[in-house]
Amino acid sequence: MSLKVIVVLLAGFLAWAYLAFCPPPPRLCGSIGGPAIEGPRIKLRDGRHLAYKEHGVPIERANYKIIYVHGFGSSKHEAAIARSELVEKMGIHLVSFDRPGYGESDPDPKRTIKSTALDIEELGDKLGLGPKFYVIGSSMGGQLVWGCLKYISHRLAGAALIVPVVNYWWPSFPSSLSTEAYYQQFPQDQWALRVAHHAPTMVYWWNTQKWFPPSSVISGKANFTAPDLRILSKYGSSMGIRDYAKQQGAYESLHRDLMVSFGKWEFDPMSLDNPFVGGEGSVHLWHGVEDGLVPVALQRYIAKKLPWVQYHELSNAGHLFVHDDTSAKDAVLKSLLTGDK
Ligand SMILES: *[C@@H]1O[C@H](CO)[C@@H](O)[C@H](O)[C@H]1NC(C)=O
């Protein structure tokens, strides 16, 4: 082969690799050709906008103020918990928001666990939730509540983590336990997490290429167990990855979530201290025994390591229980807001 041919082939390969690895720029909300801005937004410290949605009683009448953090592939419209009867009865004002890159919130290419906690704090300030408010998060949103306990605990009245996603690389896990759980996942998920953890620059390519199966959650083939399948059939496709959530593109929403959630963390939740030593608030962790996405064995280990976290385990519940089960929703709210067991 002549040098010329080699140079041409190499240039061709680099051009292909560049296109395959580089995500397209996000379709910003409000930009020409981008999605419209329909709901209210606040402007954050670095100029980004955060879209939010208010539920429950008006803020002026509220006894309790809560910020709700949504899961993977979802948006501010995921706030089934706000449909509990207790919301009116107890006087709850609940704010959900599109996490950066989702829905109508600007992407944050520098997004971390910490930056999300600071976004939540700023949202509380801009909406006048007062010096202290509650946070509730579900799934990947539940995992982000660990960040609130680490970085903005002085602003919290209490916290509930519902089926929070675990990071298999948190150092406090005995490696036998986390390794065993890791290899119980589908091989395609082991690979998706490996790429997210070890080679984040390849995340876009990995989750868009056609040679190997991508993350089962992204491809809609997640390991949902019987209780979850019942909920999914009841609500149909409205429960899945909604178009609204990723309307600005999958990279700064879904793919960024994988990098943040399964990347290297600045802290290990299992080494957090109790933020409420005087009992002025409480922290609750909810998990279902039939959760096929987040292994219950790891959640039990976390609960054992953190005796100040009140652990609630539901026997016939999967990963999606809070989207349906009325009594579970009420129990989450009651235990968090009144300390009732
Ligand atoms: C699916 O979920 C069940 C129930 O939690 C679990 O026993 C099993 O290991 C999971 N399978 C995969 C491939 O994640």
Side-chain angles (χ1 to χ4, degrees):
M1 245 193 292
S2 76
L3 187 63
K4 229 185 217 167
V5 173
I6 291 175
V7 167
V8 168
L9 285 179
L10 194 65
F13 174 76
L14 288 176
W16 167 83
Y18 180 79
L19 287 176
F21 280 67
C22 262
R27 298 173 62 237
L28 292 182
C29 279
S31 68
I32 298 164
I37 302 161
E38 275 158 14
R41 312 201 296 178
I42 59 157
K43 195 166 184 170
L44 295 165
R45 58 200 176 282
D46 55 2
R48 281 181 295 121
H49 295 88
L50 205 65
Y52 66 93
K53 185 172 173 181
E54 297 178 292
H55 315 253
V57 306
I59 192 163
E60 309 78 51
R61 281 210 280 126
N63 301 320
Y64 303 99
K65 290 150 196 161
I66 303 176
I67 294 185
Y68 180 82
V69 195
H70 71 74
F72 184 74
S74 190
S75 72
K76 65 183 181 184
H77 299 304
E78 173 203 312
I81 196 150
R83 290 196 293 273
S84 159
E85 276 179 16
L86 291 180
V87 167
E88 194 61 39
K89 252 190 233 157
M90 296 177 72
I92 297 170
H93 180 75
L94 186 140
V95 180
S96 56
F97 65 102
D98 291 331
R99 296 201 278 103
Y102 280 106
E104 295 176 7
S105 287
D106 289 332
D108 181 4
K110 298 198 200 108
R111 172 143 73 98
T112 59
I113 299 292
K114 183 176 185 176
S115 73
T116 308
L118 298 180
D119 290 356
I120 290 171
E121 179 178 31
E122 238 183 303
L123 181 66
D125 286 339
K126 293 262 155 71
L127 298 184
L129 299 194
K132 291 200 181 204
F133 48 84
Y134 294 86
V135 285
I136 302 179
S138 170
S139 192
M140 218 170 250
Q143 188 189 47
L144 289 162
V145 172
W146 292 122
C148 295
L149 291 166
K150 166 80 179 170
Y151 297 109
I152 60 162
S153 66
H154 56 290
R155 302 300 309 275
L156 301 184
L161 298 81
I162 303 167
V163 300
V165 167
V166 301
N167 179 312
Y168 296 87
W169 290 273
W170 284 336
S172 299
F173 281 134
S175 70
S176 56
L177 183 72
S178 53
T179 307
E180 191 188 330
Y182 192 86
Y183 285 104
Q184 271 166 12
Q185 301 180 94
F186 295 126
Q188 67 207 70
D189 291 328
Q190 297 173 27
W191 275 108
L193 299 200
R194 246 176 231 133
V195 171
H197 187 79
H198 297 291
T201 51
M202 289 170 67
V203 163
Y204 174 73
W205 171 72
W206 184 262
N207 288 287
T208 50
Q209 51 76 33
K210 303 277 182 285
W211 302 333
F212 311 101
S215 146
S216 69
V217 182
I218 290 187
S219 56
K221 300 193 177 89
N223 183 35
F224 287 120
T225 53
D228 286 336
L229 292 173
R230 274 197 295 278
I231 293 176
L232 286 168
S233 68
K234 187 163 160 189
Y235 294 100
S237 55
S238 70
M239 293 274 316
I241 295 176
R242 299 173 188 82
D243 292 342
Y244 171 82
K246 50 171 190 167
Q247 64 181 355
Q248 300 183 82
Y251 186 67
E252 285 298 344
S253 49
L254 306 175
H255 301 175
R256 182 70 64 195
D257 258 5
L258 294 178
M259 291 181 259
V260 172
S261 175
F262 298 106
K264 219 174 152 79
W265 277 45
E266 278 174 15
F267 70 97
D268 182 337
M270 281 169 274
S271 48
L272 284 175
D273 292 324
N274 182 4
F276 303 117
V277 275
E280 63 280 31
S282 56
V283 180
H284 301 260
L285 199 165
W286 293 81
H287 208 73
V289 173
E290 294 191 51
D291 193 316
L293 272 59
V294 181
V296 67
L298 297 186
Q299 217 68 276
R300 283 178 185 152
Y301 189 83
I302 294 171
K304 209 173 73 193
K305 290 287 274 187
L306 300 174
W308 47 270
V309 171
Q310 294 181 39
Y311 180 53
H312 311 254
E313 195 172 282
L314 303 176
S315 50
N316 286 312
H319 193 67
L320 303 174
F321 76 83
V322 82
H323 299 285
D324 188 44
D325 184 341
T326 311
S327 61
K329 271 182 230 170
D330 293 353
V332 167
L333 290 171
K334 249 197 189 139
S335 61
L336 175 65
L337 304 177
T338 68
D340 275 10
K341 293 281 154 57

